[in-house]
């Protein structure tokens, strides 16, 4: 095992930006992903580590301008699960947080870490896609916002530059929108997803509108399924529509066989999860 890399702990965001603007640093938040990578057995180990834990600017869950929910990158899963604001406005995220690891990981792992780690199996990522979240990045050059839809660019690749930090994730609040989440793994806890799905929509005059269906663990990055969304958009909640949507999603995704699951299983489970969510939401 290599020697531990040096760790620097900035006390302010400005100091963190200065450090990141110089020699390359790997940020560390809860460390639940990074510490697994530190030996170098799973990719390039970090040469220098920048500890974000004292940056209060990256904390807090609050309403922004009354029409968005802003969640600081350092928010832990426990904080997300306990947040009345998340419970009220984005229950799917609280549900996702509740399925991650177990208590130890939920007390330490952060939303920002999940977002930047960019695993295709990252459980919160489909929720961000379904809820049209924006990811706010900061560096010495200022702040910029990247829609979640543009953030994960390939296998474990993101739109973040090396000197940028994720500051917060912002979810627009849409009146009447409902969000749902479902994860299928080998066990109820400490399970990496075989399939993870988030659904968002609102009911309008007896039909589904603004439908978003997002999945993890079925492609090299978290994805939305536009063909399936088109089947549901403007449709009435009926069994025949759910049947059509389930058949469409099974044909639309191209999952891989890997150690956790087979492509056939993932396809069948994705169709089944979507069908069940639609049935539960439609109330038939
Ligand atoms: C036992 C175990 C069980 C797990 N179970 C699950 C699970 O069920 N579902 C799941 O999705 N994940 C799971 N994970 C993975 C991990 O816990 C999550 O991805 C977690 O959200 C990572 O957050 P962190 O704060 O620990 O990130 P860290 O390990 O600190 O960082 C992860 C990556 O993000 C970067 N980073 C972190 N914060 C920022 C920031 N603000 N700005 C820029 N870069 C940043 C780091 O440089 C690093 O590359 C599990 C991990 C373990 C060890």
């Amino acid at each position: 095992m290599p020697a531990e890399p040096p760790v620097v702990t900035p006390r302010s965001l400005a100091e963190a930006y200065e450090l990141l603007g110089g020699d390359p640093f790997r940020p560390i938040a809860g460390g639940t992903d990074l510490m697994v990578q530190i030996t170098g057995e799973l990719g390039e180990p970090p040469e220098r580590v920048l500890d974000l834990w004292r940056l209060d600017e990256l904390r807090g869950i609050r309403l922004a301008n009354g029409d968005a929910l802003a969640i600081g990158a350092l928010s832990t899963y426990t904080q997300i699960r306990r947040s009345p604001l998340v419970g009220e406005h984005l229950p799917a995220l609280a549900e996702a947080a509740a399925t991650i690891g177990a208590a130890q990981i939920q007390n330490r792992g952060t939303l920002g870490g999940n977002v930047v780690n960019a695993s295709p199996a990252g459980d919160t990522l489909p929720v961000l896609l379904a809820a049209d979240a924006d990811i706010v990045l900061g560096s010495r050059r200022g702040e910029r916002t990247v829609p979640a839809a543009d953030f994960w660019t390939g296998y474990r690749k993101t739109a973040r530059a090396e000197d940028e930090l994720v500051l917060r994730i912002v979810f627009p609040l849409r009146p009447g929108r409902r969000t749902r989440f479902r994860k299928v793994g080998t066990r109820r806890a400490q399970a990496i997803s075989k399939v993870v799905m988030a659904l968002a929509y609102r009911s309008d005059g007896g039909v589904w509108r603004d439908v978003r269906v997002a999945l993890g663990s079925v492609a090299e990055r978290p994805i939305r399924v536009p063909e399936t969304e088109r089947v549901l958009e403007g449709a009435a909640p009926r069994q025949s529509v759910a049947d059509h949507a389930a058949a469409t999603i099974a044909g639309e995704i191209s999952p891989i066989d890997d150690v956790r699951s087979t492509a056939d299983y993932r396809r069948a489970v994705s169709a089944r999860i979507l069908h069940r969510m639609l049935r539960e939401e439609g109330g038939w």
Side-chain angles (χ1 to χ4, degrees):
M1 177 162 163
E4 278 181 26
V7 179
V8 178
T9 306
R11 289 174 183 269
S12 70
L13 195 52
E15 193 188 336
Y17 287 163
E18 281 310 309
L19 288 160
L20 282 166
D23 292 331
F25 271 98
R26 280 287 288 284
I28 189 167
T32 62
D33 276 317
L34 199 71
M35 291 305 285
V36 178
Q37 297 158 16
I38 213 122
T39 60
E41 288 157 280
L42 299 170
E44 216 30 49
E47 269 181 47
R48 269 174 297 271
V49 172
L50 191 81
D51 178 9
L52 307 179
W53 208 248
R54 293 201 184 160
L55 299 180
D56 287 339
E57 296 95 329
L58 273 57
R59 296 193 184 283
I61 299 177
R62 59 184 70 88
L63 289 178
N65 308 321
D67 64 359
L69 183 65
I71 302 186
L74 283 181
S75 302
T76 65
Y77 297 114
T78 300
Q79 288 165 341
I80 288 169
R81 286 184 73 176
R82 291 184 181 162
S83 160
L85 284 174
V86 176
E88 181 182 347
H89 298 290
L90 201 59
L93 188 65
E95 286 171 40
T99 71
I100 290 180
Q104 300 91 329
I105 296 295
Q106 290 178 16
N107 285 340
R108 192 70 196 175
T110 65
L111 183 59
N114 207 223
V115 165
V116 177
N117 192 55
S119 162
D123 283 321
T124 66
L125 312 185
V127 180
L128 270 63
L129 282 177
D132 297 324
D134 283 325
I135 293 157
V136 182
L137 297 150
S139 70
R140 281 201 293 199
R141 289 166 282 123
E143 289 190 13
R144 69 183 177 115
T145 295
V146 179
D150 300 331
F151 190 76
W152 300 286
T153 52
Y155 180 68
R156 289 185 176 271
K157 291 208 174 80
T158 75
R160 168 187 165 262
E162 276 217 332
D163 66 341
E164 286 181 312
L165 292 177
V166 171
L167 304 181
R168 58 193 172 275
I169 294 92
V170 178
F171 298 85
L173 298 180
R174 305 256 158 78
R177 183 177 63 189
R178 284 178 59 81
T179 58
R180 294 285 311 267
F181 171 85
R182 184 78 201 276
K183 165 175 173 172
V184 174
T186 308
R187 301 174 293 268
R188 283 177 69 83
Q190 297 286 26
I192 300 179
S193 302
K194 292 169 190 266
V195 174
V196 55
M197 185 182 294
L199 167 73
Y201 73 96
R202 63 185 175 83
S203 293
D204 180 17
V207 297
W208 283 312
R209 291 281 178 210
D210 302 331
V211 181
R212 311 271 187 271
V213 181
L215 295 102
S217 291
V218 300
E220 58 171 9
R221 59 192 169 93
I223 55 165
R224 274 176 55 187
V225 277
E227 271 181 53
T228 305
E229 291 176 355
R230 273 196 292 279
V231 169
L232 294 167
E233 188 67 40
R238 273 200 304 266
Q239 169 129 15
S240 57
V241 174
D243 291 346
H244 186 191
T248 306
I249 203 171
E252 188 171 8
I253 57 174
S254 314
I256 54 163
D257 290 312
D258 68 7
V259 288
R260 286 197 292 283
S261 190
T262 64
D264 286 348
Y265 179 83
R266 288 184 160 117
R267 211 176 281 112
V269 164
S270 300
R272 182 70 66 88
I273 297 176
L274 180 63
H275 199 278
R276 180 182 294 183
M277 277 184 183
L278 296 172
R279 194 176 66 228
E280 288 168 358
E281 291 302 298
W284 69 79

